[in-house]
Amino acid sequence: MGLKENRFTKTFQEEQFPQLKVQIIEAAGFDVAFNIEWDTLFENRFSHLYNDSYPKIYFLPLIEAFKSIASDDMGKEALAESLKAIHITNTKDHHNPKNAYSFADGILTVDHSPIINADKVEDRTKTLIDLLENNL
C-alpha cells in the first residue's frame, strides 16, 4: 500500500474501527479477537467510497448477526464457546455473501470485496446468521 492508502487505513482504524469493535463485542457478549488484513481491503480506484462501505461490508453484518444469535442465553453461550476470532480479508474478490463467509475451528472468516454490493447489509447479515446457527 502507498501513502494514500496507509493514511486512509490509519484514519479508519483510529476514527471508525474502535466504535465498530465495541459494538461487535457488545453484540457478541464477549471480547472476540480480530485479525484484519487491512492491506488486502484497499483498492485505490474506490478510495472515495471506503468510509461508507467498510462498515457496511465488514462490520455492520457482524453486529446485526451477533445481536440475533446472542438474543438469548443459549445463543450467547453457543457463540462464546465456539467463536474464537474474526478474520477479515479480501483475497478472492468475493462479493456474494454465500462465498465470502466461512466458519471453521472457531474462526469466522470474512473474505469479501470491499466495495461491491455494499448496501446489501441485510443479505450479508442473513448469510452470517445462517452460517453461525448451523455451525455453533
Side-chain angles (χ1 to χ4, degrees), residues 73-104:
D73 290 339
M74 185 183 297
K76 286 177 189 173
E77 184 177 312
L79 191 61
E81 288 177 0
S82 300
L83 181 63
K84 307 299 178 223
I86 300 168
H87 180 193
I88 298 175
T89 189
N90 175 32
T91 63
K92 298 178 182 158
D93 198 29
H94 289 305
H95 55 272
N96 180 334
K98 291 183 175 140
N99 299 324
Y101 299 109
S102 62
F103 185 71

Side-chain angles (χ1 to χ4, degrees), residues 7-20 51:
R7 281 184 175 150
F8 170 80
T9 300
K10 182 173 175 37
T11 299
F12 186 87
Q13 289 171 328
E14 292 175 352
E15 294 179 6
Q16 290 191 53
F17 179 66
Q19 183 57 32
L20 292 165
N51 281 323

Side-chain angles (χ1 to χ4, degrees), residues 8 12 16-17 20 23-24 41 48-65 88 95 97 100-101 110 112-126 128:
F8 170 80
F12 186 87
Q16 290 191 53
F17 179 66
L20 292 165
Q23 290 177 47
I24 291 168
L41 305 184
H48 61 290
L49 300 173
Y50 283 127
N51 281 323
D52 184 56
S53 67
Y54 269 15
K56 290 178 180 178
I57 296 284
Y58 299 110
F59 305 107
L60 296 179
L62 291 170
I63 293 165
E64 294 307 314
I88 298 175
H95 55 272
Y101 299 109
V110 179
H112 200 292
S113 174
I115 298 297
I116 308 299
N117 298 325
D119 290 328
K120 295 190 175 189
V121 176
E122 287 181 28
D123 292 349
R124 283 186 293 283
T125 301
K126 182 182 179 332
L128 280 170

